[in-house]
Amino acid sequence: MNKIKIERKNGMVEEMSSVSFARWACLIEALGFIQEKAEELNLNVDNFLKPVAIEHYIEERYPAMLHDVDTEIQLGILF
């Protein structure tokens, strides 16, 4: 399992597995899609944000995201 290190603005280093990183990346990606759609429809995200829908998206997207993260680590593209 690959380890990823991320340096925070305050200099502290966070370390996580590629598995954890991939799940976080899915969450960030899902929130980005939600924000884009909300702006497109002139909606306030707080009025329709559905945690269950985000969880479902992460479960579907996670295997591909993990593969992408591991591949980018091996190629030296990510970290």
Side-chain angles (χ1 to χ4, degrees), residues 11-73:
M12 291 182 60
V13 176
E14 297 285 339
E15 187 174 308
M16 66 182 79
S17 68
S18 59
V19 170
S20 293
F21 184 85
R23 291 190 69 78
W24 278 108
C26 287
L27 176 60
I28 292 166
E29 188 176 72
L31 293 173
F33 289 139
I34 291 167
Q35 184 64 40
E36 286 176 16
K37 192 63 173 179
E39 290 173 3
E40 181 182 310
L41 299 173
N42 293 322
L43 296 172
N44 181 348
V45 173
D46 297 333
N47 293 338
F48 69 92
L49 191 59
K50 307 287 188 216
V52 172
I54 294 171
E55 183 177 345
H56 180 71
Y57 174 83
I58 291 170
E59 290 303 316
E60 284 188 358
R61 178 74 171 103
Y62 169 73
M65 180 68 77
L66 179 58
H67 177 269
D68 293 348
V69 167
D70 284 338
T71 299
E72 289 187 12
I73 290 170

